[in-house]
Amino acid sequence: MAGYYIAIPQRIVASVMAFGSGVLLSAISFELLDEAFALGGVEHVIAGLFAGGLVFTVANVLLARSGAKHRKRSDSTVIARDDFESSGLAIAVGSIIDGIPESIAIGLTLLSGAAVSIPTVVAIFLSNIPEGLSSSAGLKSRGWRAAPVFILWTGIAVSSGAASLAGYAFFSQFGPGVNALVLAFAAGGVLAMVVDTMIPEAFSEAHSLSGMMTVLGFMLSVLLSKAL
């Protein structure tokens, strides 16, 4: 609801996005791909990464044409151009598509018997902040009241939780090769999302600060991964 009621400075949002990008990159490297390699080997990692990146890229192009090109943005000035006011729902749909591989990945990290990966959860939380802000701004500009916006994003959160549960319950029925493919697929989708949507926006607003914030996010995620 912060995106509906509060005008958050763009430099702060961009810094959070850069930090989240670093956390996500670390989570992909040390959580998802490490586990995928251990389960299935290099061929599963390569196939899953390519498929995940391809599927996300195609979905991202279709979403951009539907009005979700700026779904990782929260800049109010964007509302005045590119018909951004009509893209609130498309952004919400985009957040679901972005969140599916992320949420499934959380569930799959439980397959080894370990606890939920804290770095992965933190990374996904940070990556979705700009989407929530931008979608709320777009919907508000079209006259949506606060309650329907809150209900919409609550539904998205519940859907993401269900995807995490499905990642654990459904894929636990398959062998390590399938799980390795799905983990690498999720990693490929998340990696493409970070490069396509998060890093460019973080740099456009935070400029030279974005690099250091990304390093800090990566560093924190590595420390959490090794400590936990």
Side-chain angles (χ1 to χ4, degrees), residues 112-186:
S112 62
V116 173
S117 169
I118 299 301
T120 304
V121 173
V122 171
I124 291 171
F125 171 77
L126 292 174
S127 72
N128 284 307
I129 289 176
E131 275 180 342
L133 295 173
S134 57
S135 177
S136 297
L139 293 173
K140 182 179 180 180
S141 73
R142 297 200 70 196
W144 282 50
R145 295 183 180 274
V149 174
F150 178 77
I151 292 172
L152 173 65
W153 280 94
T154 300
I156 291 173
V158 171
S159 300
S160 297
S164 294
L165 178 61
Y168 175 75
F170 180 75
F171 289 104
S172 63
Q173 310 300 317
F174 296 94
V178 173
N179 291 327
L181 276 173
V182 176
L183 278 168
F185 180 90

Side-chain angles (χ1 to χ4, degrees), residues 69-210:
K69 179 180 180 180
H70 300 294
R71 67 184 181 279
K72 290 293 186 184
R73 304 198 65 173
S74 60
D75 189 349
S76 59
T77 61
V78 180
I79 298 176
R81 64 179 186 271
D82 294 335
D83 197 29
F84 183 68
E85 62 270 19
S86 66
S87 66
L89 284 174
I91 293 169
V93 172
S95 71
I96 296 175
I97 292 177
D98 290 348
I100 287 174
E102 298 169 340
S103 300
I104 290 176
I106 291 177
L108 288 175
T109 59
L110 296 170
L111 292 179
S112 62
V116 173
S117 169
I118 299 301
T120 304
V121 173
V122 171
I124 291 171
F125 171 77
L126 292 174
S127 72
N128 284 307
I129 289 176
E131 275 180 342
L133 295 173
S134 57
S135 177
S136 297
L139 293 173
K140 182 179 180 180
S141 73
R142 297 200 70 196
W144 282 50
R145 295 183 180 274
V149 174
F150 178 77
I151 292 172
L152 173 65
W153 280 94
T154 300
I156 291 173
V158 171
S159 300
S160 297
S164 294
L165 178 61
Y168 175 75
F170 180 75
F171 289 104
S172 63
Q173 310 300 317
F174 296 94
V178 173
N179 291 327
L181 276 173
V182 176
L183 278 168
F185 180 90
V190 173
L191 181 58
M193 181 270 292
V194 170
V195 176
D196 281 351
T197 63
M198 291 183 68
I199 291 178
E201 173 61 14
F203 180 78
S204 71
E205 297 291 341
H207 303 298
S208 57
L209 183 63
S210 62

